[in-house]
Amino acid sequence: MLMTADKAVLLVVDVQERLLPAIHEGEAILANCIWLAGVARRLRVPVVLSEQYPVGLGPTAAALKAVLDGAHVVEKTHFSCVSDGCLAGTEVEARRQVIVVGTEAHVCVQQTVLELRWQGKEVFVVADAVGSRKPLDKDLALARMRAHGVDIVSREMVAFEWLRRSATAQFREINRDFIRDN
């Protein structure tokens, strides 16, 4: 199945200020989340941000939040966004496809993703925009999620599937601003 902008929502899981420095390649993960969030905004794909216990882990990274001004932000204390019930009433509940980025791949991302699959959602995890403290944990999480029917994709796969075709002004704009030099 292909990802489509009109059926998708981008779910950004726990990309928080105090957690990011502990994430392996955390700066690259943040940059890829910002990149995909920018593409989502430009293509009018709704975005939902979750924050795991923000009193302790801080808010969503400022650079990411700046790109997503006005995005729906939900707080949670369960690892899974689904278990916490914080996605109720958001675009995640309303849309069929959920594109997931964030941290930590083997904890909050994985638990959320598996529960979304169990709910019947089409779930896509962006491999270059998820991270864990240890690379092995990320690798195991991606393998486990794939085994449960989750598609593992890259940020460019998402962008090109959302765009669908090249002969449009929208493609030229996204290509110029996001793809060509990144």
Side-chain angles (χ1 to χ4, degrees):
M1 81 203 93
L2 293 174
M3 295 169 275
T4 59
D6 63 333
K7 295 177 186 161
V9 59
L10 178 64
L11 176 60
V12 180
V13 177
D14 308 346
V15 181
Q16 292 167 255
E17 288 180 353
R18 293 189 198 134
L19 180 58
L20 270 174
I23 301 300
H24 178 71
E25 299 180 344
E27 288 301 315
I29 301 303
L30 175 60
N32 288 334
C33 288
I34 291 169
W35 186 94
L36 191 54
V39 172
R41 279 300 208 200
R42 198 71 66 86
L43 297 177
R44 292 182 167 71
V45 173
V47 181
V48 175
L49 300 167
S50 74
E51 295 178 341
Q52 175 73 28
Y53 187 64
V55 172
L57 293 175
T60 297
L64 177 58
K65 209 160 194 178
V67 173
L68 295 173
D69 185 41
H72 197 138
V73 180
V74 296
E75 294 183 11
K76 63 189 183 67
T77 55
H78 285 80
F79 297 124
S80 168
C81 296
V82 176
S83 289
D84 214 330
C86 65
L87 298 177
T90 71
E91 294 87 347
V92 173
E93 191 174 65
R95 298 251 173 153
R96 188 172 87 205
Q97 296 181 338
V98 185
I99 315 307
V100 183
V101 300
T103 63
E104 282 193 75
H106 68 294
V107 185
C108 297
V109 169
Q110 178 177 260
Q111 290 185 30
T112 298
V113 162
L114 292 178
E115 289 192 341
L116 287 169
R117 278 296 298 136
W118 294 331
Q119 288 183 342
K121 297 286 186 182
E122 296 173 14
V123 184
F124 304 83
V125 172
V126 185
D128 49 347
V130 295
S132 293
R133 286 166 287 138
K134 298 176 186 171
L136 176 62
D137 287 328
K138 175 182 171 176
D139 293 345
L140 291 171
L142 292 175
R144 183 172 179 205
M145 290 183 281
R146 180 180 286 122
H148 285 275
V150 173
D151 286 349
I152 308 302
V153 297
S154 71
R155 68 182 197 167
E156 280 203 6
M157 291 168 74
V158 177
F160 280 101
E161 288 183 30
W162 281 349
L163 285 164
R164 284 294 207 249
R165 47 185 278 206
S166 64
T168 66
Q170 191 173 52
F171 170 79
R172 287 187 291 281
E173 179 184 319
I174 296 294
N175 187 48
R176 178 193 68 228
D177 296 344
F178 294 95
I179 297 168
R180 187 177 29 206
D181 296 325
N182 291 304

